[in-house]
Amino acid sequence: MAFVVSSGQLAVTGAGVSTGYAAPALRAAPWEYAEIWRRQPQVRTVISFLARNIAQLGLHVFRRVSDTDRERLSDHPLARLLAEPMPGMTMYRFIERIVADSALYDDWFGIKLKLNGELRILPVPPSLIHPYGGNWITPEFYRTAGGREFSREEVVHIHGYSPADLVAGDSPIESLRELLLEAHEAAKNRAKMWKGGARITGVLTRPEDAPEWKDHEKRRFREMWRSFTDGGGAEGGTPILEDGMAYTPVGFNPEQAQYIEARKLTREEVSAAYFIPPPLIGILDHATYSNIKEQHAHLYQDTLGPWMVMLQQEIVSQILPDLPDSEGVYCEFNIDAKMRGSFEEQAAAMSTMVGGPVMTRNEGRARINLSWIEGGDELIVPMNVTEGGLASPRDTAPDTPKAVRAGGRKASARPTVLGTFESERSALEATLTAFTERQADTLLAAAGAKADDAGGMPDLLALWAQGSEDRLAQLQALLAHHGYRLAQVGAWDVLSAHNPEAENWSAEVMLAWILAAAETHAAQHEEAGRKAVAGVQESGGEEWRTGLQAAAGAWGAAAVARAATASTELRSFGGHDAAGASGLTQKIWRTGGTNPRASHKAQDGEAVSLDDVFSNGLRWPGDGSGRTEELVNCNCDLDYAKEG
């Protein structure tokens, strides 16, 4: 390959501006495109949108190790070249110019230079360089505005499609020329209108029977009218019309000329020529949150994707062969960061893939500027992962439905991983009790450490508050996991009797309610622990350690009661949801347990419609919206039937 060898003096390339330089008539005059870009805001908006969004991504250089592996090259000659194509030029400005020139001219030119022994690329505006000679396949050489000629090997030429030859591209601006000309003329007309201020264009008429004016009367009226109109009518004053004269406006006003609609149409057509969704460049007539979000995702696939593939391949084809150690090397835009989705979406996907958290508590606290805590550097292992060998909480969900019937939902058969109500309730009780004991032990240890330092009872509520956020999050997760299983158990108890094929029912529909119930139960259990600790704080005294241990035991007992109450509610809700999907219209209260409360025993066999409440105000046993005394340790159940 041939190079222009220079020790830093770029003027020898002849790429400077030369007055009177005219490009050959191979294509439309390139300086016209530059003027269009300067004067047409719609063109500038769209092209700048493309150039800025691609330039911000950055190019990374890799070497292919195998079909499934690669290594990032940060010190390869191509990586150094892209990082600084010319002294003082950043990668952003380099990519921005390539995209902007290609979008405007459908051509981009760069001259290969050797500066201090390394390859550099000097971008040249397409109006200052042109291919000459050769044939329809390839030019013979390139000539700059200053008259300097370069061989094909000395020039990087990226161009688009032309139906005439393979030498250069045809600018998209050509297809927009008439529309842009119309917009230009409309802008000129609008400028003339504003230059005249608020002048009203029209004619004055006098009635036929009006008395004839004498010369001095005509001069007087003419001077009065001229004094009013010379300032365009914008300086104030009121014209006086005489003898029944009338003024008739002539011409279009801005509203009739539809200037706003015309400008919007121009921007829409320009954006369509470059395949950009209108909402992304400010045309929000039909924009909604959902379609803008989807179009943003498609931006890097359908709009910018072809541009990035083209540039990656052109760099590998025209620049990489001139560099050493190029075997298996390629470059790629860093689009991964733009396609990852929100932090919440990334966190949910990662949790599913690895089966548990990927950050320690202290790492999470650091993200929201909270201080480091003792014991927060270990990854928490979810209990549902250690029970039964599940790889992810999602493994407890039923199989994805294979068919959805018109107007309804269809679920697969009862998941084999589900146990009985008793076994699932026992699992929740064991999990919640173990969690409560661990948290109580952590609090006792932290209080003991503080007491050793201070010599007295520490601020127990402050110690409790330090771990509150983490506890609530973990409580919600374990309650939601077990709650989903318990709700399915209750649902399948009803489905097995009334709807074995589970027509029109799907377990996933219950998830929103289950998550809300888990949040409520978590908050209530957290509050039960806080109250127990607050009681010890208020009592004080030297026996506070004994009091704190008693509070921990009380919180553990509350966990057993909470598990029983939540289990009953979730089973009842699941059965109620399945009954509604199965077309059942009546529910019957069945009192259960060895020692039921009197109110529940009295309403044994009470039947109401599916959407009604029972005499105790509950929709089902354990209904969280009812009074607390009606819920605790309730072991009742429901039967379902069709009325009539």
Side-chain angles (χ1 to χ4, degrees), residues 271-310:
S271 67
Y274 289 94
F275 308 101
I276 299 176
L280 296 180
I281 56 171
I283 303 175
L284 305 177
D285 293 7
H286 304 290
T288 64
Y289 173 79
S290 59
N291 67 22
I292 288 181
K293 186 177 181 181
E294 287 301 314
Q295 287 171 1
H296 186 267
H298 293 164
L299 170 67
Y300 292 95
Q301 299 171 347
D302 304 326
T303 300
L304 305 185
W307 280 89
M308 292 185 287
V309 171
M310 180 269 289

Side-chain angles (χ1 to χ4, degrees), residues 104-121:
L104 183 63
Y105 299 95
D106 210 22
D107 281 295
W108 179 82
F109 300 91
I111 296 177
K112 300 176 183 178
L113 305 174
K114 270 292 185 68
L115 297 179
N116 301 321
E118 288 199 347
L119 176 65
R120 291 289 183 261
I121 303 294

Side-chain angles (χ1 to χ4, degrees), residues 434-510:
F435 171 83
T436 304
E437 290 174 351
R438 287 199 306 274
Q439 298 301 320
D441 290 343
T442 300
L443 179 65
L444 287 167
K450 286 288 185 180
D452 292 340
D453 294 338
M457 183 180 70
D459 188 342
L460 300 178
L461 287 176
L463 291 175
W464 175 270
Q466 286 182 1
S468 179
E469 292 182 7
D470 289 338
R471 279 195 305 273
L472 270 176
Q474 295 174 55
L475 274 170
Q476 291 177 27
L478 71 87
L479 285 166
H481 166 65
H482 287 281
Y484 189 41
R485 299 174 66 88
L486 283 158
Q488 290 181 78
V489 168
W492 279 104
D493 286 345
V494 175
L495 294 170
S496 299
H498 301 280
N499 184 12
E501 296 298 323
E503 295 287 347
N504 299 320
W505 179 84
S506 173
E508 285 83 356
V509 177
M510 302 189 297

Side-chain angles (χ1 to χ4, degrees), residues 601-625:
K601 188 174 182 180
Q603 69 182 37
D604 186 33
E606 180 182 340
V608 298
S609 63
L610 191 65
D611 296 326
D612 205 351
V613 297
F614 292 97
S615 57
N616 60 358
L618 303 184
R619 294 169 294 177
W620 49 69
D623 183 2
S625 62

Side-chain angles (χ1 to χ4, degrees), residues 196-200 223-240:
R199 180 180 292 122
I200 303 173
E223 291 301 323
M224 182 276 296
W225 189 258
R226 183 179 293 116
S227 67
F228 171 72
T229 58
D230 276 353
E235 297 180 0
T238 302
I240 300 175

